[in-house]
């Protein structure tokens, strides 16, 4: 690898976070207290460079959902290729002589604007109990509960964010901006329409700004997106800054970088409070929306099919662990598959709108 190319990926390693945690094949931490093993910095940068170099060819193979950098059984960084189904043909034997791993995840899809049948919260609460994230909440409503633009079925409120004295609700583009189709000023509701929300009675704010999603069609090559995000103007009388009582509570204002092996948690409209670990970074994924596909680069992959479900789009993913380590914002959930969840790095989202998490 040239010095210039290596420097580029070393910088990317630093941006993701140098306190990466590696795991031995048995699952025990290899170096919890003392930082990275000596090989980790160089190997992580090399794996990212290898991934980026082969992304165009890999993503052109029918049935390849995306790629990321993960941790192999030997505890070292490795390129992972995500497959929509088993038996994909055309995969290379190696990447420039380097091995890689595959994982059958199913296709990735945006997890908002979901069908009315999407299920119960994972904690088993009932529709009429005050901790059911699908219900209508007294104002100010908590974060992590059902919401959506007037033409969207339902997604999740990520957090209350602020810029100076102005207060906003944060969620996905496809939850608050209806996949670029909404107009600035459109009401956003709590709960979303599929959960009984009615405009304008249940409005908690109005669409203020969104990052447009660039879809693959009609372009000959899919343009890369980094975030699926939007903000709606609101007030502290309309929106609180904590989850319901069966969630993780109030997120901290200070964010942290995603790390492989990092334990994270979220609270969302459909599956409630769930925990898992980050299993992939620097992910480039093809994500299905209702009528098109979009490619997202630089994303975070969380393992476990029970971590999220349709309607959880917009959930804020925060760190787990001890009280001192927990509740730092890490990512904004927006898509998933049968086995995994996909999220935007939260710092990219906050920088785009020049806001910060209104937490503690």
């Amino acid at each position: 690898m040239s010095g210039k190319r290596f420097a580029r990926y070393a910088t990317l390693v630093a941006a993701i976070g140098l306190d990466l945690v590696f795991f031995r094949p048995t699952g025990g931490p290899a170096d919890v207290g003392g930082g990275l093993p000596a090989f980790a910095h160089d190997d992580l940068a090399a794996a990212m460079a290898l991934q980026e170099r082969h992304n165009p060819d890999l993503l052109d193979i029918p049935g390849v959902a995306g790629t990321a950098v993960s941790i192999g059984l030997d505890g070292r960084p490795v390129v992972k290729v995500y497959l929509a189904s088993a038996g994909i043909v055309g995969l290379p034997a190696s990447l420039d002589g380097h091995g890689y791993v595959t994982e059958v995840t199913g296709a990735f899809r945006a997890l908002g604007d979901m069908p009315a049948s999407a299920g119960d919260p994972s904690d088993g609460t009932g529709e009429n109990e005050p901790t059911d994230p699908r219900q209508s909440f007294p104002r100010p409503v908590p974060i992590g509960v059902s919401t959506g633009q007037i033409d969207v079925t339902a997604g999740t409120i990520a957090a209350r964010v602020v810029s100076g004295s102005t207060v906003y609700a944060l969620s996905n583009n496809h939850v608050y901006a209806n996949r670029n189709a909404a107009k600035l000023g459109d009401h956003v509701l709590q709960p979303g329409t599929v959960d009984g929300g009615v405009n304008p009675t249940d409005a908690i704010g109005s669409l203020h700004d969104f990052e447009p999603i660039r879809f693959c069609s009609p372009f000959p090559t899919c343009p890369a997106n980094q975030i699926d995000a939007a903000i709606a103007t609101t007030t502290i009388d309309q929106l609180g800054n904590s989850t319901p009582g069966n969630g993780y509570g109030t997120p901290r204002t200070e964010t942290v970088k995603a790390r492989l092996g990092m334990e994270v948690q979220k609270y969302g409209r459909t599956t409630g409070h769930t925990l898992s670990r980050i299993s992939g970074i620097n992910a480039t994924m093809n994500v299905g929306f209702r009528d098109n596909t979009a490619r997202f680069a630089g994303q975070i992959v969380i393992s476990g099919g029970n971590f999220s479900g349709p309607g959880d789009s917009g959930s804020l993913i925060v760190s787990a662990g001890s009280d001192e380590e927990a509740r730092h914002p890490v990512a904004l959930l927006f898509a998933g598959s049968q086995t995994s969840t996909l999220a935007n790095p939260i710092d990219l989202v906050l920088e785009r709108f020049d806001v910060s998490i209104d937490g503690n």
Side-chain angles (χ1 to χ4, degrees), residues 72-85:
L73 290 178
D74 61 357
R76 296 176 181 270
V78 66
V79 176
K80 178 176 281 190
V81 179
Y82 299 88
L83 306 178
S85 63

Side-chain angles (χ1 to χ4, degrees), residues 80-104:
K80 178 176 281 190
V81 179
Y82 299 88
L83 306 178
S85 63
I88 300 300
V89 298
L91 293 171
S94 67
L95 305 178
D96 296 342
H98 297 278
Y100 66 98
V101 297
T102 62
E103 180 181 346
V104 178

